PDB file of all heavy atoms in Angstrom:
ATOM      1  N   HIS A 186     -29.334  60.650 -13.947  1.00  0.00           N
ATOM      2  CA  HIS A 186     -28.749  61.628 -14.867  1.00  0.00           C
ATOM      3  C   HIS A 186     -29.390  61.582 -16.253  1.00  0.00           C
ATOM      4  O   HIS A 186     -29.450  62.592 -16.942  1.00  0.00           O
ATOM      5  CB  HIS A 186     -27.237  61.397 -14.975  1.00  0.00           C
ATOM      6  CG  HIS A 186     -26.509  61.755 -13.727  1.00  0.00           C
ATOM      7  ND1 HIS A 186     -25.408  61.059 -13.273  1.00  0.00           N
ATOM      8  CD2 HIS A 186     -26.732  62.722 -12.810  1.00  0.00           C
ATOM      9  CE1 HIS A 186     -24.970  61.592 -12.158  1.00  0.00           C
ATOM     10  NE2 HIS A 186     -25.761  62.589 -11.844  1.00  0.00           N
ATOM     11  N   GLY A 187     -29.853  60.407 -16.664  1.00  0.00           N
ATOM     12  CA  GLY A 187     -30.468  60.306 -17.985  1.00  0.00           C
ATOM     13  C   GLY A 187     -31.795  61.047 -18.071  1.00  0.00           C
ATOM     14  O   GLY A 187     -32.266  61.338 -19.175  1.00  0.00           O
ATOM     15  N   GLU A 188     -32.416  61.367 -16.915  1.00  0.00           N
ATOM     16  CA  GLU A 188     -33.683  62.095 -16.917  1.00  0.00           C
ATOM     17  C   GLU A 188     -33.489  63.610 -16.935  1.00  0.00           C
ATOM     18  O   GLU A 188     -34.454  64.352 -17.091  1.00  0.00           O
ATOM     19  CB  GLU A 188     -34.499  61.707 -15.666  1.00  0.00           C
ATOM     20  CG  GLU A 188     -34.839  60.230 -15.565  1.00  0.00           C
ATOM     21  CD  GLU A 188     -35.758  59.784 -16.669  1.00  0.00           C
ATOM     22  OE1 GLU A 188     -36.587  60.595 -17.115  1.00  0.00           O
ATOM     23  OE2 GLU A 188     -35.651  58.615 -17.112  1.00  0.00           O
ATOM     24  N   ILE A 189     -32.251  64.062 -16.764  1.00  0.00           N
ATOM     25  CA  ILE A 189     -31.983  65.505 -16.705  1.00  0.00           C
ATOM     26  C   ILE A 189     -31.825  66.044 -18.123  1.00  0.00           C
ATOM     27  O   ILE A 189     -30.896  65.668 -18.836  1.00  0.00           O
ATOM     28  CB  ILE A 189     -30.713  65.782 -15.881  1.00  0.00           C
ATOM     29  CG1 ILE A 189     -30.882  65.261 -14.447  1.00  0.00           C
ATOM     30  CG2 ILE A 189     -30.411  67.278 -15.864  1.00  0.00           C
ATOM     31  CD1 ILE A 189     -29.612  65.335 -13.615  1.00  0.00           C
ATOM     32  N   LYS A 190     -32.729  66.909 -18.525  1.00  0.00           N
ATOM     33  CA  LYS A 190     -32.670  67.505 -19.853  1.00  0.00           C
ATOM     34  C   LYS A 190     -32.122  68.934 -19.820  1.00  0.00           C
ATOM     35  O   LYS A 190     -31.472  69.384 -20.747  1.00  0.00           O
ATOM     36  CB  LYS A 190     -34.072  67.529 -20.482  1.00  0.00           C
ATOM     37  CG  LYS A 190     -34.765  66.159 -20.532  1.00  0.00           C
ATOM     38  CD  LYS A 190     -33.947  65.139 -21.310  1.00  0.00           C
ATOM     39  CE  LYS A 190     -34.635  63.780 -21.345  1.00  0.00           C
ATOM     40  NZ  LYS A 190     -33.815  62.746 -21.988  1.00  0.00           N
ATOM     41  N   LYS A 191     -32.415  69.633 -18.729  1.00  0.00           N
ATOM     42  CA  LYS A 191     -31.986  71.031 -18.617  1.00  0.00           C
ATOM     43  C   LYS A 191     -31.515  71.290 -17.190  1.00  0.00           C
ATOM     44  O   LYS A 191     -32.181  70.909 -16.233  1.00  0.00           O
ATOM     45  CB  LYS A 191     -33.146  71.977 -18.963  1.00  0.00           C
ATOM     46  CG  LYS A 191     -32.818  73.452 -18.789  1.00  0.00           C
ATOM     47  CD  LYS A 191     -34.038  74.312 -19.083  1.00  0.00           C
ATOM     48  CE  LYS A 191     -33.748  75.788 -18.854  1.00  0.00           C
ATOM     49  NZ  LYS A 191     -34.942  76.637 -19.086  1.00  0.00           N
ATOM     50  N   VAL A 192     -30.357  71.933 -17.054  1.00  0.00           N
ATOM     51  CA  VAL A 192     -29.793  72.255 -15.753  1.00  0.00           C
ATOM     52  C   VAL A 192     -29.642  73.762 -15.642  1.00  0.00           C
ATOM     53  O   VAL A 192     -28.981  74.392 -16.472  1.00  0.00           O
ATOM     54  CB  VAL A 192     -28.414  71.586 -15.544  1.00  0.00           C
ATOM     55  CG1 VAL A 192     -27.829  71.999 -14.210  1.00  0.00           C
ATOM     56  CG2 VAL A 192     -28.526  70.078 -15.636  1.00  0.00           C
ATOM     57  N   SER A 193     -30.254  74.355 -14.617  1.00  0.00           N
ATOM     58  CA  SER A 193     -30.088  75.781 -14.329  1.00  0.00           C
ATOM     59  C   SER A 193     -29.341  75.893 -13.002  1.00  0.00           C
ATOM     60  O   SER A 193     -29.886  75.552 -11.946  1.00  0.00           O
ATOM     61  CB  SER A 193     -31.447  76.483 -14.234  1.00  0.00           C
ATOM     62  OG  SER A 193     -32.157  76.368 -15.451  1.00  0.00           O
ATOM     63  N   ASN A 194     -28.104  76.336 -13.069  1.00  0.00           N
ATOM     64  CA  ASN A 194     -27.273  76.474 -11.874  1.00  0.00           C
ATOM     65  C   ASN A 194     -27.431  77.893 -11.337  1.00  0.00           C
ATOM     66  O   ASN A 194     -27.030  78.861 -11.978  1.00  0.00           O
ATOM     67  CB  ASN A 194     -25.813  76.190 -12.208  1.00  0.00           C
ATOM     68  CG  ASN A 194     -24.965  75.997 -10.950  1.00  0.00           C
ATOM     69  OD1 ASN A 194     -25.240  76.584  -9.919  1.00  0.00           O
ATOM     70  ND2 ASN A 194     -23.949  75.177 -11.057  1.00  0.00           N
ATOM     71  N   LEU A 195     -28.043  78.010 -10.144  1.00  0.00           N
ATOM     72  CA  LEU A 195     -28.335  79.314  -9.560  1.00  0.00           C
ATOM     73  C   LEU A 195     -27.190  79.861  -8.713  1.00  0.00           C
ATOM     74  O   LEU A 195     -27.322  80.949  -8.157  1.00  0.00           O
ATOM     75  CB  LEU A 195     -29.597  79.220  -8.692  1.00  0.00           C
ATOM     76  CG  LEU A 195     -30.846  78.631  -9.364  1.00  0.00           C
ATOM     77  CD1 LEU A 195     -32.019  78.625  -8.397  1.00  0.00           C
ATOM     78  CD2 LEU A 195     -31.207  79.402 -10.622  1.00  0.00           C
ATOM     79  N   SER A 196     -26.090  79.124  -8.637  1.00  0.00           N
ATOM     80  CA  SER A 196     -25.015  79.567  -7.737  1.00  0.00           C
ATOM     81  C   SER A 196     -23.621  79.280  -8.311  1.00  0.00           C
ATOM     82  O   SER A 196     -22.683  79.033  -7.548  1.00  0.00           O
ATOM     83  CB  SER A 196     -25.161  78.864  -6.381  1.00  0.00           C
ATOM     84  OG  SER A 196     -25.153  77.454  -6.545  1.00  0.00           O
ATOM     85  N   LYS A 197     -23.485  79.299  -9.607  1.00  0.00           N
ATOM     86  CA  LYS A 197     -22.174  79.037 -10.201  1.00  0.00           C
ATOM     87  C   LYS A 197     -21.413  80.344 -10.403  1.00  0.00           C
ATOM     88  O   LYS A 197     -21.921  81.290 -11.024  1.00  0.00           O
ATOM     89  CB  LYS A 197     -22.341  78.320 -11.534  1.00  0.00           C
ATOM     90  CG  LYS A 197     -21.010  77.868 -12.140  1.00  0.00           C
ATOM     91  CD  LYS A 197     -21.214  77.023 -13.369  1.00  0.00           C
ATOM     92  CE  LYS A 197     -19.885  76.513 -13.906  1.00  0.00           C
ATOM     93  NZ  LYS A 197     -20.050  75.664 -15.097  1.00  0.00           N
ATOM     94  N   ASP A 198     -20.221  80.417  -9.888  1.00  0.00           N
ATOM     95  CA  ASP A 198     -19.324  81.568  -9.995  1.00  0.00           C
ATOM     96  C   ASP A 198     -19.809  82.750  -9.158  1.00  0.00           C
ATOM     97  O   ASP A 198     -19.098  83.265  -8.320  1.00  0.00           O
ATOM     98  CB  ASP A 198     -19.131  81.995 -11.453  1.00  0.00           C
ATOM     99  CG  ASP A 198     -18.486  80.911 -12.283  1.00  0.00           C
ATOM    100  OD1 ASP A 198     -17.824  80.033 -11.696  1.00  0.00           O
ATOM    101  OD2 ASP A 198     -18.655  80.918 -13.521  1.00  0.00           O
ATOM    102  N   PHE A 199     -21.024  83.250  -9.420  1.00  0.00           N
ATOM    103  CA  PHE A 199     -21.587  84.344  -8.626  1.00  0.00           C
ATOM    104  C   PHE A 199     -23.109  84.277  -8.730  1.00  0.00           C
ATOM    105  O   PHE A 199     -23.662  83.552  -9.551  1.00  0.00           O
ATOM    106  CB  PHE A 199     -21.080  85.705  -9.110  1.00  0.00           C
ATOM    107  CG  PHE A 199     -21.594  86.107 -10.472  1.00  0.00           C
ATOM    108  CD1 PHE A 199     -22.767  86.864 -10.586  1.00  0.00           C
ATOM    109  CD2 PHE A 199     -20.949  85.716 -11.629  1.00  0.00           C
ATOM    110  CE1 PHE A 199     -23.249  87.235 -11.834  1.00  0.00           C
ATOM    111  CE2 PHE A 199     -21.427  86.068 -12.882  1.00  0.00           C
ATOM    112  CZ  PHE A 199     -22.586  86.843 -12.987  1.00  0.00           C
ATOM    113  N   SER A 200     -23.778  85.046  -7.870  1.00  0.00           N
ATOM    114  CA  SER A 200     -25.241  85.140  -7.911  1.00  0.00           C
ATOM    115  C   SER A 200     -25.636  86.593  -8.041  1.00  0.00           C
ATOM    116  O   SER A 200     -24.840  87.493  -7.741  1.00  0.00           O
ATOM    117  CB  SER A 200     -25.870  84.525  -6.663  1.00  0.00           C
ATOM    118  OG  SER A 200     -25.585  83.138  -6.588  1.00  0.00           O
ATOM    119  N   ARG A 201     -26.863  86.835  -8.457  1.00  0.00           N
ATOM    120  CA  ARG A 201     -27.290  88.205  -8.752  1.00  0.00           C
ATOM    121  C   ARG A 201     -28.508  88.607  -7.949  1.00  0.00           C
ATOM    122  O   ARG A 201     -29.464  87.843  -7.795  1.00  0.00           O
ATOM    123  CB  ARG A 201     -27.589  88.331 -10.253  1.00  0.00           C
ATOM    124  CG  ARG A 201     -28.056  89.721 -10.679  1.00  0.00           C
ATOM    125  CD  ARG A 201     -27.886  89.919 -12.159  1.00  0.00           C
ATOM    126  NE  ARG A 201     -26.475  90.056 -12.509  1.00  0.00           N
ATOM    127  CZ  ARG A 201     -25.988  89.877 -13.741  1.00  0.00           C
ATOM    128  NH1 ARG A 201     -26.791  89.523 -14.716  1.00  0.00           N
ATOM    129  NH2 ARG A 201     -24.703  90.049 -13.975  1.00  0.00           N
ATOM    130  N   ILE A 202     -28.469  89.832  -7.424  1.00  0.00           N
ATOM    131  CA  ILE A 202     -29.648  90.455  -6.822  1.00  0.00           C
ATOM    132  C   ILE A 202     -30.476  91.033  -7.965  1.00  0.00           C
ATOM    133  O   ILE A 202     -29.983  91.834  -8.748  1.00  0.00           O
ATOM    134  CB  ILE A 202     -29.240  91.573  -5.849  1.00  0.00           C
ATOM    135  CG1 ILE A 202     -28.380  91.014  -4.723  1.00  0.00           C
ATOM    136  CG2 ILE A 202     -30.459  92.297  -5.306  1.00  0.00           C
ATOM    137  CD1 ILE A 202     -27.700  92.077  -3.886  1.00  0.00           C
ATOM    138  N   ASN A 203     -31.720  90.616  -8.061  1.00  0.00           N
ATOM    139  CA  ASN A 203     -32.614  91.084  -9.128  1.00  0.00           C
ATOM    140  C   ASN A 203     -33.938  91.479  -8.475  1.00  0.00           C
ATOM    141  O   ASN A 203     -34.816  90.647  -8.272  1.00  0.00           O
ATOM    142  CB  ASN A 203     -32.806  89.990 -10.173  1.00  0.00           C
ATOM    143  CG  ASN A 203     -33.628  90.458 -11.366  1.00  0.00           C
ATOM    144  OD1 ASN A 203     -34.039  91.615 -11.433  1.00  0.00           O
ATOM    145  ND2 ASN A 203     -33.894  89.579 -12.299  1.00  0.00           N
ATOM    146  N   LEU A 204     -34.072  92.763  -8.138  1.00  0.00           N
ATOM    147  CA  LEU A 204     -35.203  93.232  -7.342  1.00  0.00           C
ATOM    148  C   LEU A 204     -35.996  94.281  -8.110  1.00  0.00           C
ATOM    149  O   LEU A 204     -35.429  95.233  -8.646  1.00  0.00           O
ATOM    150  CB  LEU A 204     -34.692  93.824  -6.019  1.00  0.00           C
ATOM    151  CG  LEU A 204     -35.731  94.421  -5.083  1.00  0.00           C
ATOM    152  CD1 LEU A 204     -36.723  93.366  -4.637  1.00  0.00           C
ATOM    153  CD2 LEU A 204     -35.043  95.066  -3.878  1.00  0.00           C
ATOM    154  N   ASP A 205     -37.319  94.073  -8.173  1.00  0.00           N
ATOM    155  CA  ASP A 205     -38.237  95.073  -8.727  1.00  0.00           C
ATOM    156  C   ASP A 205     -38.922  95.791  -7.566  1.00  0.00           C
ATOM    157  O   ASP A 205     -39.515  95.150  -6.687  1.00  0.00           O
ATOM    158  CB  ASP A 205     -39.286  94.424  -9.622  1.00  0.00           C
ATOM    159  CG  ASP A 205     -38.690  93.926 -10.927  1.00  0.00           C
ATOM    160  OD1 ASP A 205     -37.756  94.573 -11.427  1.00  0.00           O
ATOM    161  OD2 ASP A 205     -39.150  92.889 -11.426  1.00  0.00           O
ATOM    162  N   MET A 206     -38.831  97.141  -7.571  1.00  0.00           N
ATOM    163  CA  MET A 206     -39.391  97.947  -6.484  1.00  0.00           C
ATOM    164  C   MET A 206     -40.399  98.936  -7.041  1.00  0.00           C
ATOM    165  O   MET A 206     -40.111  99.613  -8.048  1.00  0.00           O
ATOM    166  CB  MET A 206     -38.256  98.703  -5.782  1.00  0.00           C
ATOM    167  CG  MET A 206     -38.607  99.222  -4.414  1.00  0.00           C
ATOM    168  SD  MET A 206     -38.443  97.932  -3.191  1.00  0.00           S
ATOM    169  CE  MET A 206     -38.909  98.836  -1.720  1.00  0.00           C
ATOM    170  N   GLY A 207     -41.569  99.017  -6.442  1.00  0.00           N
ATOM    171  CA  GLY A 207     -42.601  99.941  -6.921  1.00  0.00           C
ATOM    172  C   GLY A 207     -42.677 101.190  -6.063  1.00  0.00           C
ATOM    173  O   GLY A 207     -42.630 101.129  -4.836  1.00  0.00           O
TER     174      GLY A 207
END
Side-chain angles (χ1 to χ4, degrees):
H186 290 145
E188 300 295 328
I189 300 173
K190 305 302 179 185
K191 177 183 177 182
V192 177
S193 300
N194 193 329
L195 307 181
S196 57
K197 187 173 183 179
D198 298 338
F199 69 92
S200 297
R201 179 161 288 161
I202 300 168
N203 185 1
L204 178 62
D205 289 326
M206 198 82 180

